[in-house]
Amino acid sequence: MLTPEQQMHILESGTEAIVPRQALLDKLATGRPLRIKLGVDPTAPDLHLGHAVPLRKLRQFQDLGHTVVLIIGDFTALIGDPSGRSATRPPLTVEQIDENAQTYIAQAFRILDPVKTELRRNSDWLGPLGFAELLRLTSRFTVARILERDDFAKRYEEQRPISLHEFLYPVAQAYDSVVVEADVELGGTDQLFNLLAGRELMEKSGLEPQVCLTLPLLEGTDGVQKMSKSYGNAVGLTDAPDEMFGKLMSIPDALTAKYYRLATLLTVDELEAVEAEISTGSVHPGVQKRRLARLVVEVYHGPQAAIDAEAAFDRVFKRHEAPVDVPEIEVEAADPVHLPALLRELGLAPSNGEGRRLIDGGGVRIDGNPVAPGVYDLSWAAVSGHVVQAGKRHFARPVPRT
RNA sequence: GGGGGUGUGCCCGAGUGGCUAAAGGGGACGGGCUGUAAACCCGUUGGCUACGCCUACCCAGGUUCGAAUCCUGGCGCCCCCA
């Protein structure tokens, strides 16, 4: 059993803030297994590396003997997270939420230890909550207090709409903490307000308040915005190894250290070694990033897949060869073949027009040979069974439909 | 309940009757250079087998030879007053 200070050293790594820090030390000192809460809303079916950041932290708690309470926000998902931008999210049906929850759970247990995890759904207690009870809960918060929340304040300032029900989101999340009697709750930095609301409500409910632990938001592969599927900059946990490797290689250099810290399973000591290499420049950034990509692929697909993914990467991007397994796609045989339409059928272009643009931009190759701009018709023999390439990384092999 | 404002392409944002498939920027995509990084340079950015045709400026009607631009009704959003 590690001392509270030793545990703290591990738990603190890669965190943004622990509020209050001393309270966590005190809780650790009791020696009992702590209850660590994480709430996730199953609003999208796929998890990405950004979601994995708190999951990894949970795993660290588990490895130190603590209990994880993973709350599936099947009820709060109906409210919708009031995270600022484009509010027009199509309301999810109960079925969609259920389905999302299933994949969510499956993916989460790639990281978590099931034995030390308590899985709860907040519809269990939020669903039966009556209006009277809701009034009692909401009376514990003031409008001014809720408006302090960053994104509410910002939206209010920018004269963008805030629906009344969105105010209830932090209330619901806080109530979750009361129900599960959390010792610690995790969240991204943007969650600090909600976490603190839980702390307050617990205290007012006569419970020992939870400690709030926030983790940095992981930027997506564009290096600017936080990782999100809707920004198109996400690395999915279920992405194929090659895909995952490629995406990781494309992150900006400046993010390499952060990714090491938040997306790999290296120990605190190993991380410090890597960070030293990066800051002194003793190892080439490209090499660092390769290792990062390998490590991450390894977490989700195993060591062999990581080695294969790197080999495939070299083949396509270093030696500019086609990948080993170019997908064969059946198309209607025609002679001549209208190339823009073919690109669309092969899934290499969303429309014929886009296909045309790709050709004119010099981005289309057949067996590695560029197609000249303005050439839209080719003989069937020239394409059938050959490797058609759009851009640097999209390949397909047309074969006649049988 | 009353008053005012606003709604343009993926996003922001010009445009007040024909020269507008719609300026400019961002993003995205493609090419070059590279380490599939960044920076930089160039090109493309509604659909269509395409010197043409079709669809487009919140929606539905209308005026006009002609509308993103004018009129009527509706819808969304914002602000002020209550």
Side-chain angles (χ1 to χ4, degrees):
Chain A
M1 185 77 184
L2 298 176
T3 67
E5 285 74 18
Q6 288 168 322
Q7 293 190 46
M8 200 67 178
H9 178 63
I10 294 168
L11 295 174
E12 233 174 351
S13 88
T15 61
E16 186 74 24
I18 296 178
V19 188
R21 188 174 180 281
Q22 187 56 46
L24 180 54
L25 274 171
D26 293 345
K27 280 174 184 276
L28 290 171
T30 64
R32 70 181 165 88
L34 301 179
R35 297 173 61 73
I36 318 301
K37 173 198 173 198
L38 176 72
V40 287
D41 283 359
T43 49
D46 299 308
L47 295 190
H48 52 63
L49 286 180
H51 296 111
V53 173
L55 291 174
R56 285 192 49 247
K57 185 55 68 182
L58 288 178
R59 178 62 202 228
Q60 288 180 332
F61 273 101
Q62 287 183 326
D63 291 344
L64 293 169
H66 303 291
T67 302
V68 162
V69 183
L70 183 64
I71 296 180
I72 302 298
D74 59 344
F75 195 86
T76 36
L78 293 169
I79 304 179
D81 179 22
S83 64
R85 64 200 168 74
S86 72
T88 40
R89 183 203 301 263
L92 295 171
T93 64
V94 176
E95 290 74 37
Q96 282 174 306
I97 290 174
D98 264 7
E99 207 180 307
N100 290 344
Q102 285 313 317
T103 56
Y104 228 104
I105 292 165
Q107 292 174 44
F109 279 117
R110 286 171 177 231
I111 299 171
L112 296 180
D113 174 358
V115 176
K116 292 176 188 156
T117 305
E118 233 178 72
L119 193 61
R120 310 286 295 270
R121 291 171 177 256
N122 64 10
S123 61
D124 286 352
W125 54 85
L126 292 177
L129 199 68
F131 200 81
E133 186 65 12
L134 178 66
L135 289 179
R136 210 177 58 75
L137 276 178
T138 51
S139 70
R140 305 213 195 253
F141 297 90
T142 65
V143 172
R145 179 75 184 89
I146 299 281
L147 264 179
E148 279 176 29
R149 180 176 150 148
D150 244 26
D151 44 23
F152 284 146
K154 207 169 156 219
R155 282 161 73 184
Y156 194 69
E157 185 65 29
E158 288 171 359
Q159 310 186 338
R160 282 157 54 208
I162 303 171
S163 291
L164 189 55
H165 76 281
E166 295 182 82
F167 275 179
L168 298 184
Y169 192 91
V171 177
Q173 186 171 339
Y175 186 58
D176 288 351
S177 292
V178 171
V179 172
V180 304
E181 298 189 25
D183 285 300
V184 180
E185 178 169 10
L186 269 57
T189 49
D190 58 347
Q191 287 288 310
L192 184 60
F193 180 90
N194 290 348
L195 304 184
L196 288 169
R199 191 173 156 75
E200 277 180 42
L201 189 63
M202 287 179 84
E203 199 161 20
K204 287 178 179 166
S205 307
L207 296 169
E208 185 183 322
Q210 66 182 7
V211 172
C212 309
L213 187 155
T214 58
L215 295 153
L217 292 179
L218 186 63
E219 289 86 350
T221 52
D222 59 359
V224 181
Q225 285 181 292
K226 76 167 185 176
M227 188 174 285
S228 161
K229 206 175 177 189
S230 51
Y231 294 145
N233 63 3
V235 181
L237 301 191
T238 53
D239 279 355
D242 292 3
E243 185 73 10
M244 196 179 255
F245 194 97
K247 284 182 180 176
L248 289 163
M249 285 303 287
S250 76
I251 64 168
D253 286 359
L255 242 51
T256 308
K258 192 165 181 181
Y259 267 64
Y260 262 102
R261 194 166 269 280
L262 297 179
T264 69
L265 300 180
L266 295 187
T267 66
V268 177
D269 293 339
E270 289 169 322
L271 284 171
E272 278 164 9
V274 170
E275 275 159 20
E277 286 172 5
I278 288 173
S279 60
T280 59
S282 62
V283 178
H284 189 279
V287 175
Q288 289 287 10
K289 216 185 281 180
R290 270 171 183 276
R291 178 163 172 240
L292 168 72
R294 255 190 339 258
L295 286 170
V296 176
V297 173
E298 210 174 303
V299 173
Y300 300 100
H301 297 285
Q304 189 56 48
I307 294 165
D308 293 345
E310 185 171 23
F313 176 85
D314 283 345
R315 180 178 169 83
V316 175
F317 297 107
K318 252 181 126 172
R319 302 200 296 277
H320 304 289
E321 295 166 16
V324 188
D325 53 343
V326 176
E328 292 195 347
I329 299 188
E330 291 190 356
V331 296
E332 213 60 58
D335 205 357
V337 178
H338 188 58
L339 198 47
L342 179 69
L343 292 170
R344 184 173 47 71
E345 284 184 72
L346 293 173
L348 299 176
S351 70
N352 294 10
E354 186 63 37
R356 220 165 247 265
R357 274 174 228 128
L358 276 168
I359 295 165
D360 290 341
V364 175
R365 291 162 198 269
I366 291 173
D367 287 337
N369 305 311
V371 173
V375 175
Y376 303 134
D377 293 295
L378 292 172
S379 71
W380 172 251
V383 297
S384 179
H386 295 270
V387 175
V388 179
Q389 177 182 1
K392 283 179 184 153
R393 47 183 299 194
H394 301 291
F395 301 86
R397 191 194 302 276
V399 295
R401 202 190 304 281
T402 47

